[in-house]
Amino acid sequence: LIVITVTAALLTYLWVLGYIGSAQRSGQPSQLEEKIKIDGVKVSDTTVFIYVRNIGSVRVVIQAAYILNATTGTVIDAKTDLNVGLDPGEVSGTNVYVEVSGTYTSGYTYVAKVVTTKGTEASLAFTWP
């Protein structure tokens, strides 16, 4: 129960921090129209695929994707040169991904996080298979 509570608190913290931070960084109306969410995460032997949906009203460009330790919030793996454009309503295929090089534990919870070029963020917790 403690692990679940800590994970829930961390995810809430990341969500609030991302929302407040992105709203403060830019007062541009288009940045406020940027809305993304992660529909799911698929783990293969060497790659973590992150399925991102553009739920906003403007085109977004996914710049970076991260895999975080759910307990500490530290970055385990990252891909910072994605530049994947998504039109409103569009879902990314396998082009938003992070190559696995860090150490992962089966059954442990991690957080997938994506960031647009304007700083809009989305994250989703998932369990390593």
Side-chain angles (χ1 to χ4, degrees), residues 28-48:
Q28 300 173 352
S30 64
Q31 202 253 344
L32 296 176
E33 295 171 358
E34 271 194 358
K35 295 179 184 174
I36 57 173
K37 77 172 201 167
I38 299 176
D39 281 349
V41 175
K42 177 184 174 187
V43 178
S44 76
D45 292 337
T46 59
T47 309
V48 176

Side-chain angles (χ1 to χ4, degrees), residues 65-68 74-79 98-104:
Y66 304 92
I67 305 299
L68 309 173
T74 58
V75 176
I76 299 171
D77 283 313
K79 179 121 175 109
V98 177
E99 295 168 347
V100 174
S101 63
T103 303
Y104 296 88

Side-chain angles (χ1 to χ4, degrees), residues 65-97:
Y66 304 92
I67 305 299
L68 309 173
N69 180 311
T71 305
T72 64
T74 58
V75 176
I76 299 171
D77 283 313
K79 179 121 175 109
T80 58
D81 59 352
L82 291 170
N83 293 317
V84 176
L86 297 173
D87 291 321
E90 187 177 6
V91 179
S92 68
T94 56
N95 50 0
V96 177
Y97 64 93

Side-chain angles (χ1 to χ4, degrees), residues 12-35:
T12 303
Y13 172 76
L14 288 173
W15 178 77
V16 169
L17 184 66
Y19 180 74
I20 291 172
S22 64
Q24 288 178 344
R25 273 184 243 133
S26 173
Q28 300 173 352
S30 64
Q31 202 253 344
L32 296 176
E33 295 171 358
E34 271 194 358
K35 295 179 184 174

Side-chain angles (χ1 to χ4, degrees), residues 10-11 14 66-70 109-113 123-126:
L10 176 66
L11 291 176
L14 288 173
Y66 304 92
I67 305 299
L68 309 173
N69 180 311
T109 302
Y110 296 90
V111 176
K113 179 177 179 180
S123 58
L124 179 71
F126 67 99

